[in-house]
Structures are given as structure tokens and as C-alpha cells.
Amino acid sequence: MELSSKAKNIYSHINQDTKLGDLRKIAKEVNKDHETAIELWSTGEFLPRQLAILIMDKKQLNQQSIDKLDQDIQEHEFEEQNHLMDWLMANQLTKDKKIIGLIESWEQSPSPLQRRVFWYYQARLRWMGNTNHSNTEYLLSEIEKNMINERPEVQWAMNYTAGQIGKWQEEYRDRCISIGETTGLYKDEIVAKNCTPSYLPEFIRIEVEKLNK
């Protein structure tokens, strides 16, 4: 896609030293501009696509357009894929009730990135101790049955959902710890100092200790 003069100007301010804070500053200056977002997205580059997500108009997103974004994101390497999809979720997909309805239908999506969003959204619903959800038992059953055979990007989100449930709901805590012990996922993960490991028994232990301080 040939970039407009506006998109070219914005693109010229993005380089390998650009930080997320810089992108947010540019996005604030640009405001919502879906056409420019699509132009920046067409570059296929990671940082311009991050900026594009910030200036997209959520009202112009639907299942078809999200599927196209999803396909494009799959062109990136693994970590960038996950970052772009999580960034899209946080900055656009969860900001619109209509799109949230789509997210809630993605549990069995053929796209692993959309399945990741389904599970990550379930975890985010439980942040800050919101435990008023009727599907917790169902989610844990599905995690127990399916997580070990899921794609790595989806496994992480399922595991994180179990971690949030185990952290906030004592009645499910032992069950969530058992999921980690049974699957062994992330048991050998090495994390930076002051970071919480993903291995469920350790994640839940550390997070519960924080709650009890």
C-alpha cells in the first residue's frame, strides 16, 4: 500500500529506538484515525503495527476485519505475535461490548491467537478479585481436559486464568495447584528477579502471600 503523506510522516518518526511510551505519545497526537492505522499496518512492521492498533477505530472492527489482522499477525515471530494480539485485545477488543461478544465466542476458534484472547480475557475479568462469574467451574474443567494439548500461546493464557482463579478463590485453590502439578507446565521456567513464575503452585503461593501481607 502506498502511504499517504500523513502516514509517511508518522512512519518516519518510528525506528528501532522507539519505545512504547513514544508510540503512545504519537497516538495521542494523531488521535483515532482508522485509515492511517491501516496504512501503518500495511508496512508489516512490528512497531508501526503497534502504533496502528492504538489509533484504530474499534467501531470499524468486526469478525472479518479481526480475522484479517489475525492472519497478518501470524507473519511475525512467536513473541511478536503474542504481543500484538494481546496489545490489540487490551487497546481495542475489550473496549467495545459488541467485540467482547465475539471474544466470548472464540473458545473453539480455529485461530490459536483468538483462543488465546478468549482465555486471557477470562483471566483479566478476574483481576483485582472479581469472583462473581458463573463459568468458573466450566473453565477449570476445560483447562483440566485441554490445556496440556493446546498450542503454547493458548496454554499460557489458560494457565494464567487458572492462576487468577486459584489466587482469588480459596475454594478452587487446591484444584488449580493440582493442575500445575499434573501438567508440569512452566515448572522449569527461569524468571527474572521479582517476577512471578507461571508454574501454578508457585504462582498461587506467591500471589496469595502478597494478598495476606
Side-chain angles (χ1 to χ4, degrees):
M1 179 185 290
E2 180 69 25
L3 299 185
S4 65
S5 57
K6 180 177 181 179
K8 284 181 180 177
N9 180 56
I10 295 170
Y11 180 74
S12 70
H13 289 84
I14 304 172
N15 56 57
Q16 61 182 4
D17 296 320
T18 303
K19 309 299 183 188
L20 288 183
D22 301 323
L23 293 180
R24 289 192 180 278
K25 184 177 179 181
I26 296 171
K28 188 174 181 179
E29 294 171 353
V30 175
N31 208 346
K32 295 301 177 189
D33 188 335
H34 199 75
E35 290 184 6
T36 301
I38 297 304
E39 289 185 72
L40 292 171
W41 188 267
S42 74
T43 66
E45 297 176 24
F46 181 59
L47 290 174
R49 283 185 165 178
Q50 284 187 292
L51 177 57
I53 288 170
L54 292 177
I55 64 174
M56 284 177 182
D57 180 0
K58 61 182 179 294
K59 290 182 170 48
Q60 297 196 47
L61 296 177
N62 53 35
Q63 185 66 61
Q64 184 177 7
S65 61
I66 293 169
D67 286 344
K68 177 61 170 64
L69 296 175
D70 183 343
Q71 291 171 4
D72 292 342
I73 289 172
Q74 292 179 46
E75 298 169 357
H76 292 260
E77 56 91 18
F78 183 77
E79 292 299 329
E80 288 187 356
Q81 285 185 30
N82 292 335
H83 184 94
L84 285 170
M85 201 62 175
D86 294 350
W87 190 251
L88 180 63
M89 180 186 80
N91 290 284
Q92 294 293 345
L93 303 184
T94 57
K95 306 296 185 182
D96 184 277
K97 289 183 179 179
K98 175 188 68 177
I99 302 177
I100 288 173
L102 293 177
I103 291 173
E104 291 172 337
S105 74
W106 288 347
E107 183 185 0
Q108 304 297 331
S109 172
S111 162
L113 288 174
Q114 290 180 38
R115 296 199 303 277
R116 176 186 174 92
V117 170
F118 169 85
W119 285 102
Y120 194 16
Y121 177 67
Q122 294 299 322
R124 286 169 63 98
L125 287 175
R126 290 159 172 81
W127 286 358
M128 307 307 293
N130 184 347
T131 59
N132 187 27
H133 303 286
S134 61
N135 65 343
T136 300
E137 180 70 35
Y138 170 79
L139 293 178
L140 287 178
S141 294
E142 293 302 298
I143 290 169
E144 288 167 334
K145 286 190 297 183
N146 301 319
M147 182 168 70
I148 196 63
N149 295 316
E150 255 293 4
R151 294 271 293 267
E153 60 268 45
V154 187
Q155 277 184 338
W156 177 87
M158 297 175 82
N159 188 80
Y160 191 57
T161 299
Q164 291 299 314
I165 293 171
K167 172 183 178 179
W168 294 107
Q169 295 187 256
E170 187 174 359
E171 67 271 29
Y172 293 114
R173 191 163 295 157
D174 287 345
R175 185 174 175 183
C176 293
I177 290 171
S178 178
I179 290 171
E181 292 172 340
T182 300
T183 64
L185 285 173
Y186 312 108
K187 186 173 184 179
D188 299 322
E189 179 186 47
I190 298 174
V191 297
K193 186 178 180 180
N194 297 324
C195 289
T196 306
S198 297
Y199 180 52
L200 285 173
E202 280 298 287
F203 177 91
I204 293 169
R205 179 186 65 79
I206 292 169
E207 292 298 313
V208 171
E209 284 181 357
K210 291 178 184 177
L211 292 179
N212 293 332
K213 282 186 177 178

